[in-house]
Each structure stands twice: as structure tokens, then as C-alpha cells.
């Protein structure tokens, strides 16, 4: 037990050794959050808590794998490890055992966002596919059924989307598919509708820990309430100052109001920072203190002083990119590893200029957030082959690969066969296997020969699984010659290399998981994320959202201009923008450069820009607008609103946790919530 707690500071030790009751660990950037939560898990197991009674959830596979390894390294061998995984992996495991409660089979296949868009496209949507997919996701995360969506839709476009949602649901249920949103939405539905399962699940997981709690959405919060229905042993770890995913549903109120939602919550603040220097933390603290919606903490560096912050002001984006590229070149020439250097930006469009600068300087870089490995066409084909072997009735995957590699089976033929299968109330595979005479009438002689061969080969592949799952991938290649097909296409070298990588990954997975099925492999790779793909041979270039959870010794943040960072205007949230700034700054370990320009070429025209208010707020440079670091308003205060401009506070009233202000804006009096104005 002493080994487990060794090296923890007082607050980390306190967080790790509280056993019962709700706990909120406010873990500042670089404060040893992972060490604390893994030590707590190891501590629970060391005092005799059954691993099967613990559940630790996080958001990425990378974080889950790291935490699992670190926790298990602290404790002796055990018969079985504790469950430590992502929210969606937990949903996947739960549904495997309980999806029968909603009359579904547990041999379902998880589809990703790209699959989802293809299905929607095939439904004949005239609206943008991304819009429809996003709205369907919102419906599911809000637990709104297709029928309810149709009933509540009033605007024409939303009526169309609601009906597409209904068709989409019918399709995925018919093909026994589950999308990412279903992994949590269906899990919650089953827990909510079945009290026996809810009680049994809650009684099993009596010690629950949640990482990155500030990123949870409303559905995840409701799910956690179900899991804690028989106890209050919920430990959440997070940082309200790093809540940056409001745009995709994260609700900062989950962490801000946790002490009110769970009685007698122990609140522990981890404020000692083991990552950055005093200079970096000073400007991070200065910036975030301007936010009013926070619980409040102040980071202190364990590392001491370092270099002063570099403020780079250039005429335009080309000059900015050249200067940064030159500085990176000097760092690399001095012996600094490329993987210790990163360039961050708020808006993706800003990557163009920095990429051109890096290319001119011959600096290798990795774009985090580019085309993902599993979204490349050749990899999607391979995954579809695996899916129809695992589930021959998966019409979506069947349609994708029936003519890839090319077999001379045209879209018209495929549509005829699909329609006939639908009329026969069977899958395409089932229809072709049992109705060859009828199928022959629907296509040319050549196409029919190829279709028969394709069905025969699929059956052969299915049987080969009985011999060896590990060797299956070789049989797949020998049967369909997929690499040979891609060698004849443009960019063949990259495509074949990607196929080889996939084959190697499949073999490695089956080698390390000898009892695993193809279903297990498919469900595992569907849970991958951007950050799982970062390599160590180049510098990293990414937007700030992608940098969350990462750290770099040498960091450049570009685009610190009003309108670019922070993004301003209708729909923007200045406090979340400021949290993004805080996240960006605290990625830096040794040296930090903040950069702005006088003008940028953006959306077809050159725009002349003002320096970001964040540069003034964090103390890097002086500006005309200085905001006070306070949440308290009083009569007479001068404030600024993004629409109404400057005004004088006439009256202050408190409503629950918020202030309501009566403000005189140049003779017009308005009642405005305090969180929408800034004190000047």
C-alpha cells in the first residue's frame, strides 16, 4: 500500500485514499491527474475491493490503455483486471449482454460516422448529409425517438430530417447495426426501462470513477445517475477550466454543480503543476481568472522558472509561417526531437499558411485530424469484407464490396437485387443464396457468374474461420486479391501500405487475443480516435481541440487575433474560447510562443485584424481593453456586451447562481445576464 501512495503529494494522497461517498477531484492541467486516479484504483484493490465491483470510465482508448497499464503496475497479479474503458466501450459490453431486452440480437456490428453518412445518403436525402447526421445524433443524445421527432418538427427541413431519422433507424435495426450514439442511448434506455437490470448493474459497480468529467454530456450524466442508483460512491476527476467541448454537447454544469447534485461531496483541488514553468502558468492563471463560470483554483509550478513567453507579431500569415518554421528548424538542428514540438491554431483554415511554411523549410509534420486511417477507402473495403463474414446479412457492407474489386456488377444490377431481396423480406446474401433462379433473371450472364462466385467465396471464407482466425486474413487476400486491385489505382503505394498495415494489425490482435472473434476485432477498431495515430517522427500541427490531453516542450500558438481566437459573433461563447486559450497555453512545458498578425488572407479576401484580447488578459502585451478578474458586479460598473457595446450597470440582482444586471447602453436600458457581459 505504501508503494501505491509513494510519490503522491498531500492532496493527491487524500484523493486516492477516500473510499466511500462522492468525490470531486479538480485536477488542473499537468497536476498528476492520471497518477492520482490510477493510484486510487490501485488503492481500492489493495484493501480488498473486488475488481469486478469497480468501473473506471474515460473518453479515449489512449487514456484508457495508459491508465490500465499504470494501475496494474502498482498492484500484484490478480485473477481478472478491473473494468477500465471508454464510455462507449462500456456501452458496447453492456449491450452485448442486455440488448435482447429491446428484442435485438447481440451479434450486432458497430458502425462509425462514415458508415452513418453513407446510409443517410442512400436514403436519398436532398439536405446536406453532415447536417442530417448531426441532427440524428442530437436526437439520440437527447433520447428523442423518431416518432417524437416527427411530431415535434415544425419547420420543413426538420420535418424532412425527422422522417429520415425514422428511415435510418428502421434500416440499422433491420441490419442489426448499432451506431456510436446507440452505444450509450440504448444502454440508458435498457437501464431506465428495466429496474432489475438497473439495480443489478449498480450493485455490481459499487466504486465508479470518471475521468475528464468536464467533457460529459447530458446523456452521460443521466447514465451515471442510473449506475449510482444504489450508492453514492462516484469519484469524478476533471477540470472546469478545460471544458472545451460545448459545441458537441459537453455540459460544463455537470462539473460545476456536482457538489449540489451529490450530497456531502468531498472537493479536492490538485493545483501543483508538474508540467510547465512559472512563466507559462502565470499567463495561464491570468487568462482563466477572467472567467466567471468556474469553481476556482490556481496552478503552481513544481519545476520553477524557465524562459519568458515569446510574443511574435508579424505583418501577415506568410511572414508568421516563415519565422516559426525558421525557429523550429533551429530547435531541430540543436538536437531537439521533432515530436517535442507542436503548432496549434483555433481555426482549421489557418493550417494552410503554416503547412506551406513548414513545407518550404523541409520540416516533416503530422496533421492531427487529417484523413483518419479507418476512413480511407481501401481500409473501409477491408472492414466491410470482415463485416459480411461476421454477419452475412449486413446489406450495407455487402453492397459496398460486391463490386470491389471490380467484377462487372453495375449499380443497376445491385439495385434490382436489393429490391428483390427486400420484397422477399431477406438480406441480399440470403436472397442470392436461396433464389439463384430468380436472381439470374435480374442480371446479365456475366454478372450472374460473378455473383455466384462471390457468394461461393464468402461461404468458403466463413468456413475457413473454423481452421484459424489468425490465418483468416491471408485467406481473404488469396480469395479476393484486394492488394492486386489497389496496385492498379492512383497512389497505389500508399494504399497497399495501408492494407499491409491493416493486415498486420489484424494478425497482431488475433495473436494477443487468441479467443477473440472477428466481431471483437471490428468492435475494437471502431473505437479508435485521432490521438491514437500520432507518431514520433515529425512535429505536430493541430487545432487546439485535438491537443487536449497532450503536452509539448516547445509550443507555438498562432492566430491570436480578434475573430480568429477568440472566435466572436453570434453563437460564440467567450468563456469557452477563454478555456480553449487556457488549454493551449498549458500544453507547453518549457517554451511558449504566442503569435498574431496584422492581416490574413481568409475566405477570399485580406482582412486587417486586431490583437486578441487574450494577449492583454494574460499579460503578454498591453491593449486598450482591460477586463477585471472578478465575478462581482456593482452599481456603476462599466461593462461591455458583444452586441450592445459598452454600458453602465444600474442595478444588480442575483437569480440562483447567476447575476441579472440592469444596464444602460447609451440611453437604452436592458436586463442582461452577467455571464454575457465583461467588466471593463
Amino acid at each position: 500500500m505504501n508503494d501505491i501512495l509513494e510519490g503522491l503529494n498531500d492532496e493527491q494522497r487524500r484523493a486516492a485514499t477516500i473510499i466511500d461517498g462522492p468525490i470531486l477531484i479538480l485536477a488542473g492541467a499537468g497536476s498528476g491527474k492520471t497518477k492520482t486516479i490510477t493510484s486510487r484504483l490501485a488503492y481500492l484493490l489493495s484493501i480488498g475491493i473486488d475488481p469486478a465491483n469497480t468501473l473506471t470510465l474515460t473518453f479515449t482508448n489512449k487514456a484508457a490503455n495508459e491508465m490500465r497499464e499504470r494501475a496494474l503496475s502498482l498492484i500484484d497479479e490478480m485473477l481478472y483486471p478491473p473494468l477500465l474503458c471508454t464510455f462507449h466501450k462500456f456501452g458496447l459490453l453492456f449491450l452485448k449482454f442486455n440488448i435482447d431486452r429491446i428484442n435485438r440480437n447481440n451479434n450486432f456490428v458497430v458502425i462509425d460516422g462514415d458508415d452513418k453518412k453513407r446510409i443517410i445518403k442512400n436514403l436519398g436525402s436532398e439536405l446536406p448529409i453532415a447536417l442530417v447526421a448531426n441532427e440524428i445524433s442530437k436526437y439520440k443524445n437527447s433520447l428523442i425517438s423518431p416518432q417524437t421527432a416527427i411530431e415535434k418538427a415544425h419547420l420543413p427541413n426538420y420535418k424532412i430530417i425527422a422522417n429520415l431519422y425514422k428511415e435510418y433507424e428502421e434500416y440499422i435495426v433491420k441490419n442489426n447495426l448499432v451506431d456510436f450514439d446507440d452505444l450509450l442511448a440504448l444502454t440508458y434506455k435498457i437501464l431506465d426501462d428495466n429496474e432489475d437490470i438497473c439495480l443489478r448493474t449498480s450493485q455490481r459497480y459499487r466504486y465508479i470513477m470518471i475521468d475528464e468529467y468536464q467533457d460529459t454530456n447530458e446523456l452521460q450524466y443521466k447514465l451515471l445517475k442510473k449506475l449510482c442508483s444504489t450508492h453514492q460512491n462516484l469519484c469524478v476527476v476533471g477540470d472546469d477550466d478545460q471544458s472545451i467541448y460545448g459545441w458537441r454537447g459537453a455540459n460544463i454544469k455537470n462539473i460545476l454543480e456536482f457538489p449540489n447534485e451529490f450530497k456531502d461531496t468531498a472537493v479536492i483541488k490538485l493545483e501543483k503543476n508538474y508540467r510547465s514553468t512559472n512563466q507559462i502558468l502565470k499567463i495561464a492563471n491570468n487568462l482563466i481568472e477572467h472567467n466567471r463560470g468556474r469553481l476556482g483554483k490556481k496552478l503552481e509550478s513544481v519545476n520553477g522558472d524557465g524562459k519568458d513567453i515569446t510574443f511574435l507579431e508579424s505583418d501577415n500569415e506568410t511572414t508568421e509561417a516563415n519565422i516559426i518554421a525558421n525557429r523550429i528548424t533551429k530547435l531541430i538542428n540543436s538536437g531537439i526531437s521533432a515530436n517535442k514540438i507542436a503548432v496549434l491554431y483555433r481555426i482549421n483554415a489557418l493550417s494552410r499558411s503554416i503547412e506551406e511554411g513548414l513545407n518550404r523549410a523541409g520540416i516533416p509534420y503530422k496533421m492531427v485530424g487529417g484523413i483518419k486511417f479507418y476512413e480511407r477507402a481501401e481500409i473501409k473495403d477491408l472492414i466491410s469484407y470482415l463485416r459480411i463474414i461476421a454477419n452475412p446479412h449486413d446489406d450495407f457492407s455487402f453492397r459496398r464490396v460486391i463490386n470491389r474489386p471490380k467484377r462487372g456488377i453495375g449499380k443497376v444490377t445491385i439495385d434490382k437485387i436489393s429490391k428483390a431481396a427486400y420484397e422477399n423480406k431477406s438480406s441480399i446474401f440470403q436472397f442470392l443464396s436461396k433464389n439463384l433462379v430468380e436472381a439470374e433473371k435480374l442480371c446479365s450472364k456475366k454478372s450472374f457468374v460473378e455473383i455466384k462466385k462471390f457468394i461461393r467465396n464468402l461461404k468458403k471464407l466463413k468456413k475457413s474461420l473454423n481452421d484459424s482466425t489468425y490465418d483468416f486474413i491471408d485467406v481473404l487476400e488469396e480469395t479476393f486479391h484486394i492488394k492486386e486491385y489497389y496496385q492498379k489505382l492512383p497512389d497505389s503505394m500508399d494504399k497497399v501500405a495501408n492494407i499491409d498495415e491493416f493486415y498486420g494489425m489484424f494478425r497482431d490482435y488475433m495473436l494477443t487475443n487468441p479467443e477473440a472473434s472477428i466481431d471483437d476485432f471490428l468492435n475494437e477498431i471502431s473505437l479508435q480516435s485521432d490521438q491514437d495515430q500520432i507518431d514520433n517522427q515529425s512535429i505536430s500541427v493541430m487545432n487546439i481541440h485535438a491537443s487536449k490531453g497532450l503536452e509539448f516542450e516547445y509550443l507555438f500558438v498562432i492566430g491570436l487575433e480578434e475573430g480568429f481566437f477568440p472566435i466572436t459573433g453570434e453563437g460564440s461563447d467567450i468563456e469557452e474560447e477563454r478555456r480553449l486559450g487556457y488549454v493551449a497555453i498549458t500544453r507547453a512545458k518549457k517554451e511558449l510562443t504566442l503569435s498574431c498578425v496584422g492581416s490574413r488572407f481568409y475566405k477570399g479576401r485580406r482582412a486587417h485584424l486586431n490583437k486578441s484580447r487574450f494577449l492583454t488578459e494574460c499579460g503578454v502585451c498591453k491593449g486598450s481593453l482591460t477586463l477585471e478578474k472578478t465575478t462581482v458586479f456593482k452599481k456603476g460598473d462599466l461593462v461591455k456586451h458583444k452586441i450592445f457595446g459598452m454600458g453602465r450597470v444600474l442595478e444588480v440582482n442575483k437569480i440562483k447562481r447567476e447575476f441579472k444586471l440592469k444596464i444602460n447602453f447609451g440611453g437604452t436600458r436592458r436586463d442582461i445576464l452577467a455571464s454575457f457581459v465583461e467588466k471593463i
Side-chain angles (χ1 to χ4, degrees):
M1 190 180 299
N2 289 333
D3 290 341
I4 292 171
L5 303 178
E6 185 179 354
L8 298 181
N9 63 40
D10 291 344
E11 290 305 296
Q12 289 173 332
R13 184 180 292 255
R14 181 179 168 226
T17 54
I18 294 177
I19 300 170
D20 297 314
I23 309 169
L24 170 58
I25 303 174
L26 283 176
S31 63
K33 174 199 69 170
T34 302
K35 183 176 183 179
T36 303
I37 194 171
T38 52
S39 296
R40 184 175 190 274
L41 176 58
Y43 178 80
L44 290 176
L45 301 180
S46 74
I47 62 173
I49 301 296
D50 188 343
N53 293 145
T54 70
L55 173 63
T56 305
L57 299 177
T58 186
F59 281 85
T60 67
N61 293 298
K62 181 183 178 184
N65 292 335
E66 179 187 356
M67 290 167 64
R68 185 183 301 107
E69 290 174 9
R70 290 173 67 167
L72 295 182
S73 71
L74 294 172
I75 53 181
D76 296 329
E77 290 186 11
M78 56 183 63
L79 291 176
Y80 47 87
L83 182 54
L84 198 164
C85 61
T86 64
F87 272 92
H88 290 92
K89 181 66 176 287
F90 172 75
L92 171 65
L93 296 172
F94 179 88
L95 292 179
K96 280 291 183 182
F97 289 99
N98 298 290
I99 201 169
D100 62 298
R101 287 295 183 106
I102 53 173
N103 300 316
R104 298 276 296 273
N105 294 325
N106 71 352
N107 66 335
F108 59 84
V109 170
V110 181
I111 61 172
D112 62 18
D114 192 42
D115 297 325
K116 179 179 179 180
K117 289 176 183 177
R118 289 178 185 276
I119 293 170
I120 294 168
K121 184 178 180 180
N122 289 337
L123 294 176
S125 170
E126 294 182 1
L127 294 174
I129 305 300
L131 170 66
V132 177
N134 188 53
E135 290 302 315
I136 289 175
S137 184
K138 286 180 181 178
Y139 285 138
K140 291 196 175 191
N141 279 282
S142 299
L143 303 172
I144 296 173
S145 68
Q147 191 57 42
T148 302
I150 291 171
E151 291 170 0
K152 291 188 175 183
H154 298 298
L155 297 174
N157 281 353
Y158 283 92
K159 288 181 180 179
I160 294 171
I161 292 172
N163 281 290
L164 285 170
Y165 175 29
K166 181 175 182 290
E167 292 180 55
Y168 170 79
E169 278 296 280
E170 290 172 349
Y171 181 90
I172 65 172
V173 170
K174 176 190 171 186
N175 288 279
N176 205 21
L177 306 175
V178 168
D179 66 23
F180 255 41
D181 299 313
D182 287 332
L183 292 175
L184 299 187
L186 295 182
T187 295
Y188 177 81
K189 176 178 171 56
I190 292 169
L191 289 172
D192 193 44
D193 292 345
N194 298 273
E195 188 175 354
D196 59 326
I197 295 179
C198 185
L199 292 176
R200 186 169 70 243
T201 306
S202 180
Q203 287 166 355
R204 174 174 182 177
Y205 300 115
R206 297 198 62 81
Y207 299 91
I208 300 175
M209 287 188 283
I210 310 298
D211 188 24
E212 304 286 7
Y213 189 67
Q214 77 281 347
D215 294 337
T216 54
N217 61 22
E218 189 67 21
L219 176 56
Q220 288 158 340
Y221 165 76
K222 288 182 176 180
L223 186 57
L224 290 174
K225 292 287 279 188
K226 289 292 180 185
L227 294 176
C228 293
S229 59
T230 65
H231 61 81
Q232 292 283 288
N233 299 328
L234 175 62
C235 173
V236 301
V237 186
D239 185 359
D240 52 325
D241 292 332
Q242 295 187 71
S243 179
I244 60 174
Y245 295 112
W247 53 277
R248 71 179 188 195
N251 189 350
I252 191 172
K253 288 184 178 179
N254 289 350
I255 191 167
L256 293 178
E257 298 180 0
F258 186 86
N260 300 328
E261 293 292 329
F262 294 87
K263 189 178 179 182
D264 300 324
T265 294
V267 180
I268 302 169
K269 297 181 181 181
L270 304 184
E271 298 174 299
K272 290 185 178 179
N273 177 282
Y274 295 87
R275 175 187 298 160
S276 309
T277 63
N278 279 324
Q279 285 84 348
I280 293 168
L281 295 185
K282 180 182 177 181
I283 69 166
N285 287 328
N286 286 345
L287 178 64
I288 202 62
E289 282 175 5
H290 288 84
N291 268 8
R292 299 182 176 91
R294 62 191 297 258
L295 295 168
K297 64 185 176 310
K298 192 166 187 175
L299 295 179
E300 300 175 1
S301 176
V302 174
N303 299 327
D305 288 338
K307 279 195 170 187
D308 288 337
I309 307 305
T310 299
F311 172 48
L312 180 61
E313 190 171 6
S314 307
D315 290 335
N316 54 55
E317 69 273 22
T318 302
T319 303
E320 175 188 59
N322 289 338
I323 293 173
I324 289 175
N326 289 337
R327 295 189 179 200
I328 292 173
T329 298
K330 288 179 181 178
L331 288 173
I332 294 174
N333 290 342
S334 70
I336 304 298
S337 297
N339 67 309
K340 295 179 180 179
I341 306 169
V343 180
L344 306 184
Y345 45 80
R346 172 68 180 94
I347 297 176
N348 287 329
L350 267 58
S351 73
R352 178 192 62 83
S353 59
I354 201 69
E355 285 185 78
E356 289 177 356
L358 295 173
N359 283 327
R360 284 192 295 268
I363 299 171
Y365 63 92
K366 166 76 175 180
M367 284 293 298
V368 180
I371 297 177
K372 303 179 187 71
F373 182 77
Y374 297 105
E375 292 180 355
R376 292 170 180 165
E378 62 273 21
I379 302 304
K380 296 292 287 184
D381 288 349
L382 290 170
I383 290 172
S384 292
Y385 271 109
L386 295 186
R387 283 177 174 170
I388 57 177
I389 296 304
N391 175 19
H393 307 300
D394 178 359
D395 284 354
F396 177 74
S397 297
F398 193 99
R399 284 177 63 96
R400 180 182 178 95
V401 298
I402 190 173
N403 198 40
R404 194 174 298 180
K406 297 291 184 183
R407 300 185 178 89
I409 305 169
K411 184 179 182 300
V412 173
T413 298
I414 297 171
D415 288 342
K416 286 180 180 178
I417 292 171
S418 298
K419 182 181 178 183
Y422 177 79
E423 290 171 350
N424 276 268
K425 297 182 179 180
S426 65
S427 66
I428 298 174
F429 176 86
Q430 192 175 28
F431 172 77
L432 292 175
S433 297
K434 297 181 178 180
N435 301 277
L436 282 176
V437 174
E438 188 176 347
E440 187 174 10
K441 300 174 184 176
L442 301 173
C443 50
S444 67
K445 186 174 182 179
K446 181 182 178 183
S447 294
F448 182 66
V449 170
E450 289 297 328
I451 287 170
K452 282 201 300 182
K453 182 180 177 183
F454 183 61
I455 295 296
R456 186 169 63 248
N457 283 335
L458 288 178
K459 291 179 178 178
K460 184 182 78 171
L461 273 171
K462 185 82 171 175
K463 289 181 181 178
S464 75
L465 283 173
N466 298 327
D467 300 324
S468 170
T469 308
Y470 176 84
D471 294 327
F472 167 79
I473 209 74
D474 294 319
V475 180
L476 174 67
E477 178 58 33
E478 290 167 7
T479 304
F480 291 116
H481 309 290
I482 297 168
K483 282 204 292 186
E484 181 180 325
Y485 166 68
Y486 274 102
Q487 281 172 343
K488 300 173 183 176
L489 299 179
D491 302 319
S492 61
M493 188 178 295
D494 288 340
K495 294 180 185 297
V496 171
N498 291 334
I499 292 170
D500 284 334
E501 176 73 10
F502 184 88
Y503 285 175
M505 182 180 58
F506 179 92
R507 295 188 189 100
D508 184 62
Y509 180 84
M510 292 304 170
L511 191 64
T512 54
N513 300 274
E515 300 300 318
S517 66
I518 288 181
D519 266 339
D520 295 326
F521 175 74
L522 288 170
N523 289 327
E524 191 66 31
I525 65 173
S526 70
L527 302 172
Q528 300 298 319
S529 68
D530 277 356
Q531 290 183 16
D532 297 339
Q533 306 299 329
I534 295 177
D535 64 33
N536 296 320
Q537 305 304 316
S538 54
I539 75 161
S540 296
V541 179
M542 68 190 86
N543 65 37
I544 296 166
H545 283 98
S547 75
K548 179 73 168 58
L550 304 178
E551 60 183 28
F552 302 93
E553 292 191 4
Y554 303 87
L555 187 71
F556 299 82
V557 183
I558 66 170
L560 279 156
E561 303 98 27
E562 285 292 302
F564 285 81
F565 194 17
I567 293 175
T568 54
E570 189 176 353
S572 65
D573 180 345
I574 192 61
E575 296 221 343
E576 182 156 318
E577 291 293 308
R578 200 173 278 117
R579 292 193 293 269
L580 272 167
Y582 177 82
V583 167
I585 291 168
T586 55
R587 299 311 94 200
K589 297 175 69 175
K590 286 186 177 181
E591 296 184 18
L592 173 64
T593 298
L594 302 180
S595 175
C596 72
V597 299
S599 71
R600 289 189 187 277
F601 192 74
Y602 182 61
K603 290 187 177 179
R605 66 179 65 182
R606 181 156 296 282
H608 294 277
L609 308 167
N610 295 320
K611 289 194 284 283
S612 170
R613 72 187 74 182
F614 294 167
L615 293 168
T616 304
E617 292 175 2
C618 70
V620 168
C621 67
K622 291 183 179 180
S624 59
L625 184 68
T626 303
L627 304 173
E628 290 186 13
K629 304 169 187 176
T630 178
T631 61
V632 180
F633 290 90
K634 63 182 183 298
K635 184 178 178 180
D637 282 344
L638 192 63
V639 296
K640 182 180 180 182
H641 187 274
K642 64 184 180 182
I643 301 296
F644 305 124
M646 296 175 65
R648 184 78 64 180
V649 177
L650 303 176
E651 190 179 315
V652 180
N653 295 295
K654 190 170 184 181
I655 303 174
K656 295 184 179 180
R657 299 180 61 181
E658 178 65 284
F659 287 98
K660 184 178 179 181
L661 311 177
K662 186 179 289 296
I663 305 170
N664 182 355
F665 291 103
T668 302
R669 299 186 178 195
R670 299 181 186 274
D671 291 331
I672 302 288
L673 293 176
S675 57
F676 288 84
V677 299
E678 294 175 322
K679 188 185 283 189
I680 299 175

